[in-house]
């Protein structure tokens, strides 16, 4: 980290090094439109994929928390996709999004809808990556939610039902408050993870079409290992660190309003 901070003030291409002060940062903010495009794409992805992932992971955890026959088998089946290597998953989704014979457009044609060119149309590509983000909803986040659900005493639900609460009331007034620390944890990890999306974009589109899938981490990688602008890439890394630090601090600050801890303090 210290080396990257030092390099962010240098012009370095593996051959020569020259101190340039804050020039790398100035060029990022003033002279590089792709920097802002990559940041915009990443923010759009984060705003959609994070809440969608939390809702879907929680929904699956609620289903898998039911006392039904074959419970362990269902949990295993939902968790297995998250074990697929990122590159292999990207190749599978590249086939799913194939405009001519992909699974998704085939299903859409079956119901009378003409699917878009998912990975060739710059309007559809950002949505394709948001859809792809659902691939991991049965992974670690689901397991964390499931652990949180199993940590809620059954006596709380019994007391609520005695008071006349129905299923929705129990979920809203018992499950969600007691699960809020787990949601907070998954929210922080989700935001950090969404800003680091790289592998799928690198494998599937390379940042295209027309930079519509040029995400921040991918653009950072290109500057470092394709253009050999290590000073600029290091500056981008520290800008990303600052963004994530600020967002995390904001989440911690606002968590006092909605995160409930069983001891009674928010």
């Amino acid at each position: 980290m210290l080396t990257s901070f030092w390099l962010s003030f240098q012009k370095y291409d593996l051959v020569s090094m020259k101190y340039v002060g804050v020039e790398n940062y100035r060029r990022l903010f003033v002279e590089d439109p792709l920097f802002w495009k990559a940041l915009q794409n990443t923010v759009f992805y984060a705003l959609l994929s994070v809440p969608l992932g939390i809702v879907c992971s929680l929904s699956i955890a609620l289903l898998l928390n039911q006392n039904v026959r074959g419970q362990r088998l269902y949990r295993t089946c939902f968790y297995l996709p998250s074990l697929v290597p990122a590159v292999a998953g990207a190749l599978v989704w590249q086939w799913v999004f194939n405009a001519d014979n992909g699974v998704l457009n085939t299903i859409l044609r079956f119901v009378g809808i003409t699917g878009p060119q998912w990975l060739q149309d710059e309007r559809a590509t950002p949505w394709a990556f948001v859809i792809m983000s659902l691939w991991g909803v049965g992974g670690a986040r689901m397991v964390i939610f499931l652990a949180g659900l199993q940590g809620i005493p059954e006596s709380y639900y019994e007391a609520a039902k005695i008071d006349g609460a129905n299923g929705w009331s129990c979920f809203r007034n018992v499950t969600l408050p007691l699960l809020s620390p787990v949601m907070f944890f998954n929210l922080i990890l989700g935001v950090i993870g969404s800003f680091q999306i790289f592998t799928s974009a690198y494998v599937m589109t390379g940042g295209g079409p027309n930079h519509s899938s040029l995400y921040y981490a991918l653009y950072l990688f290109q500057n470092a290992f394709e253009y050999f602008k290590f000073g600029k890439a290091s500056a981008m890394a520290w800008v990303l660190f600052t963004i994530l630090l600020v967002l995390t601090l904001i989440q911690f600050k606002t968590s006092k309003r909605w995160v409930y801890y069983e001891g009674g303090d928010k």
Side-chain angles (χ1 to χ4, degrees):
M1 289 182 66
L2 292 176
T3 301
S4 70
F5 184 70
W6 176 65
L7 286 175
S8 70
F9 298 103
Q10 313 287 329
K11 183 178 180 181
Y12 179 51
D13 59 1
L14 289 181
V15 177
S16 60
M17 182 181 297
K18 178 184 177 182
Y19 178 77
V20 293
V22 296
E23 184 65 16
N24 287 323
Y25 293 94
R26 188 193 68 81
R27 288 182 177 178
L28 279 178
F29 293 117
V30 178
E31 298 180 4
D32 191 354
L34 287 183
F35 167 80
W36 294 106
K37 179 66 175 177
L39 186 58
Q40 176 187 342
N41 291 341
T42 306
V43 170
F44 176 84
Y45 175 82
L47 287 175
L48 292 179
S49 65
V50 173
L52 191 61
I54 289 177
V55 170
C56 292
S57 296
L58 176 57
S59 300
I60 295 174
L62 287 169
L63 290 173
L64 297 180
N65 195 45
Q66 306 300 314
N67 188 17
V68 296
R69 179 185 247 180
Q71 183 188 71
R72 293 183 178 179
L73 175 62
Y74 294 137
R75 291 177 179 176
T76 303
C77 290
F78 274 98
Y79 186 76
L80 278 177
S82 67
L83 299 178
V84 175
V87 173
L91 292 175
V92 170
W93 278 97
Q94 196 170 29
W95 169 67
V96 171
F97 287 127
N98 186 286
D100 298 322
N101 53 17
V103 174
L104 187 55
N105 276 5
T106 300
I107 295 174
L108 291 176
R109 280 195 297 269
F110 183 76
V111 296
I113 300 174
T114 302
Q117 300 277 335
W118 290 102
L119 301 180
Q120 292 78 36
D121 185 349
E122 61 182 280
R123 296 170 298 179
T125 300
W127 295 98
F129 281 93
V130 171
I131 294 172
M132 183 182 171
S133 70
L134 296 176
W135 176 258
V137 296
R141 285 179 295 183
M142 181 268 292
V143 172
I144 294 171
F145 273 128
L146 189 57
L149 288 170
Q150 293 180 344
I152 301 176
E154 190 64 30
S155 59
Y156 288 6
Y157 295 106
E158 294 173 356
K161 291 177 181 177
I162 291 175
D163 289 338
N166 55 24
W168 169 250
S169 296
C170 287
F171 175 74
R172 183 173 179 272
N173 298 302
V174 178
T175 304
L176 283 182
L178 294 177
L179 208 59
S180 58
V182 177
M183 295 179 65
F184 177 52
F185 178 77
N186 275 332
L187 177 62
I188 290 178
L189 292 187
V191 171
I192 294 174
S194 65
F195 269 82
Q196 296 177 342
I197 175 177
F198 167 77
T199 305
S200 55
Y202 179 75
V203 172
M204 295 169 64
T205 61
N210 196 24
H211 307 301
S212 60
S213 63
L214 182 65
Y215 295 107
Y216 196 97
L218 176 59
Y219 189 47
L220 189 157
F221 172 86
Q222 290 176 344
N223 275 285
F225 301 106
E226 293 182 11
Y227 313 143
F228 297 106
K229 298 179 179 179
F230 286 92
K232 180 180 179 180
S234 297
M236 288 188 65
W238 277 93
V239 170
L240 178 61
F241 171 79
T242 304
I243 291 173
L244 292 177
L245 177 62
V246 171
L247 289 177
T248 302
L249 291 176
I250 291 174
Q251 291 175 81
F252 268 98
K253 187 68 174 178
T254 57
S255 68
K256 297 177 181 179
R257 303 178 182 176
W258 62 277
V259 177
Y260 170 81
Y261 294 99
E262 201 167 353
D265 297 329
K266 289 188 176 182

